[in-house]
Amino acid sequence: MQTRMNHLEELEAESIFVLREVAAQFENPVILFSGGKDSLVVIHLARKAFHPAKIPFPLLHIDTGHNFAETLEFRDALVRDVGARLLVGSVQASIDEGRAAEEQGPSASRNALQTITLLDAIAAHKFDCAVGGARRDEEKARAKERIFSFRDAFGQWDPKNQRPELWNLFNGRKRHGEHFRVFPLSNWTELDVWQYIAMEKLALPSLYFSHERECVRRDGMLLGLTPHIQVKKGEKVERLVVRFRTVGDATCTGAVLSRAANIDDIIQEVAASRVTERGGRADDKRSEAAMEERKVQGYF
C-alpha cells in the first residue's frame, strides 16, 4: 500500500524536480553558497537529486570579508565532505580593483557591495544559472520571485518581466549574456527548513544555536561584536546569550536573545515568532523597499 507523503517530503520532491530541471535546461549552472541553513539545505537536496553521482555544479560563495569566522569554518568543512568545487568571489578584491566603493562610518556594511562581485563572478565564469536558497516568506520583495527568475544581460531583475510557471512548467530560454536565478526553496517557510533539518539530521554552523557573545544594541538590533564592527560612542558592550537566525555579513546581521540550544528548541521558537529571520537584518531597514532596490540591481 502506498503511503501519502507528508508536507516536507512533498517540498523535497518539488525542490529535487527543480534542481533536475536546472541540470536539463542550463549548460553552466552554479549553486550560491553562503554557509547558512538555506543554502545548506539546497546542497543536501542537490546531493539527493543526483545521487550516486556528485553534485554536477560548483559552489560559489561571495565573501564580503566581514563574515563570521564560524561560518567560514563550516563552509570549508562542508565543501570537503561534499567533494564539490568551491569558487569564492571577493568583495575586497572588487574594492581593490575600483569596482566597488567601501562605505564609511561606524555603521558601514559591505552587504550591498556583494552585487557587483556576484555579477562579475557570473560573467567571468559564464554561468547561465545561479541556484540560491531564497524563500518567498523571507521578505516582501522575495515574495514576487518566480522559481526560475529571469535576469537580463546586465544581471538586473524586473518583477514585471517574469515568465508564468503554470503546472510546474519552467521556461529557461534566454539570449546570450542573460541568465537565471533559480530558487528551489521558494515554497518553503523558515519553519519548514528547520523541520527538514531535524528530519534529515543536518549539521549547522554553531551560530544558529544559543551561545554567549559580546553584543551592542544599535537601531533596535543586537549586533554580535567582530573585528569589523566599530563600537559607537555611548554604546555599551554587553555579554548576552544569543543566537543568529541568519549568518550573513556580520556588520548587518542581528542576533536574537535566545536559549534555544538544539534544533527542537529552535523549531518551537520559530513557530512562536511573528518576525521573519530577515527582521534582524540592518540592510533591509535602510528604506521601505531596500531589498527590492538591491534585487533590481542584481542582488541575490
Side-chain angles (χ1 to χ4, degrees):
M1 180 178 177
Q2 186 175 6
T3 58
R4 181 181 176 84
M5 290 192 296
N6 64 36
H7 82 285
L8 292 177
E9 291 169 332
E10 290 177 351
L11 288 170
E12 178 190 70
E14 178 188 58
S15 298
I16 286 174
F17 172 74
V18 170
L19 287 164
R20 289 173 176 166
E21 280 292 297
V22 168
Q25 294 198 40
F26 298 103
E27 295 181 3
N28 190 23
V30 67
I31 295 178
L32 302 176
F33 179 51
S34 66
K37 67 183 188 308
D38 299 312
S39 57
L40 167 65
V41 168
V42 170
I43 290 172
H44 181 73
L45 290 165
R47 295 180 80 175
K48 283 195 166 189
F50 303 107
H51 181 80
K54 290 185 178 180
I55 299 173
F57 321 135
L59 312 181
L60 173 62
H61 180 214
I62 303 303
D63 183 2
T64 65
H66 292 170
N67 292 286
F68 292 102
E70 296 93 329
T71 305
L72 297 181
E73 291 170 6
F74 181 85
R75 177 201 71 183
D76 294 342
L78 181 67
V79 168
R80 288 194 296 271
D81 178 58
V82 172
R85 180 165 66 103
L86 175 67
L87 305 171
V88 179
S90 168
V91 172
Q92 183 62 57
S94 297
I95 294 170
D96 294 343
E97 294 165 5
R99 296 280 296 148
E102 183 93 77
E103 290 185 1
Q104 302 299 317
S107 296
S109 171
R110 290 183 172 181
N111 196 60
L113 305 187
Q114 293 180 92
T115 300
I116 295 168
T117 309
L118 171 62
L119 294 177
D120 285 350
I122 288 173
H125 295 281
K126 295 181 172 58
F127 293 127
D128 56 358
C129 174
V131 179
R135 309 183 321 272
R136 292 188 179 120
D137 76 319
E138 289 181 72
E139 202 271 344
K140 58 188 178 183
R142 300 278 201 210
K144 298 179 181 181
E145 285 280 15
R146 299 287 197 268
I147 294 176
F148 272 42
S149 183
F150 172 72
R151 297 300 198 271
D152 65 20
F154 299 98
Q156 296 177 329
W157 174 68
D158 179 358
K160 297 178 181 179
N161 185 27
Q162 301 296 320
R163 284 86 183 269
E165 294 181 341
L166 305 175
W167 308 293
N168 281 341
L169 295 175
F170 302 113
N171 181 357
R173 292 183 180 179
K174 55 180 179 51
R175 297 184 182 91
H176 179 73
E178 299 170 341
H179 73 278
F180 277 78
R181 309 285 172 84
V182 172
F183 304 110
L185 305 186
S186 288
N187 293 326
W188 298 50
T189 66
E190 183 186 9
L191 185 59
D192 293 330
V193 169
W194 280 110
Q195 290 175 331
Y196 186 77
I197 287 169
M199 183 176 78
E200 297 294 297
K201 298 180 173 58
L202 303 184
L204 290 165
S206 60
L207 290 168
Y208 282 114
F209 302 100
S210 176
H211 60 283
E212 281 194 7
R213 181 178 290 267
E214 288 188 336
C215 301
V216 294
R217 300 178 188 269
R218 181 178 300 171
D219 300 327
M221 294 174 49
L222 283 175
L223 288 178
L225 287 190
T226 70
H228 312 295
I229 294 177
Q230 301 178 37
V231 179
K232 297 180 181 180
K233 184 178 181 180
E235 288 183 334
K236 178 184 176 182
V237 177
E238 304 175 75
R239 191 160 188 84
L240 302 171
V241 178
V242 299
R243 74 176 190 87
F244 292 85
R245 293 175 70 183
T246 65
V247 293
D249 188 298
T251 61
C252 62
T253 303
V256 293
L257 296 171
S258 175
R259 295 280 179 179
N262 57 59
I263 292 178
D264 288 338
D265 291 343
I266 291 173
I267 289 172
Q268 292 184 33
E269 186 177 273
V270 170
S273 176
R274 293 296 175 265
V275 179
T276 72
E277 68 263 49
R278 292 199 70 91
R281 292 291 295 267
D283 49 325
D284 289 353
K285 299 177 185 294
R286 292 191 171 189
S287 76
E288 187 68 23
M291 169 64 83
E292 183 153 346
E293 290 166 356
R294 294 200 308 276
K295 284 178 64 59
V296 166
Q297 297 301 317
Y299 188 74
F300 301 95

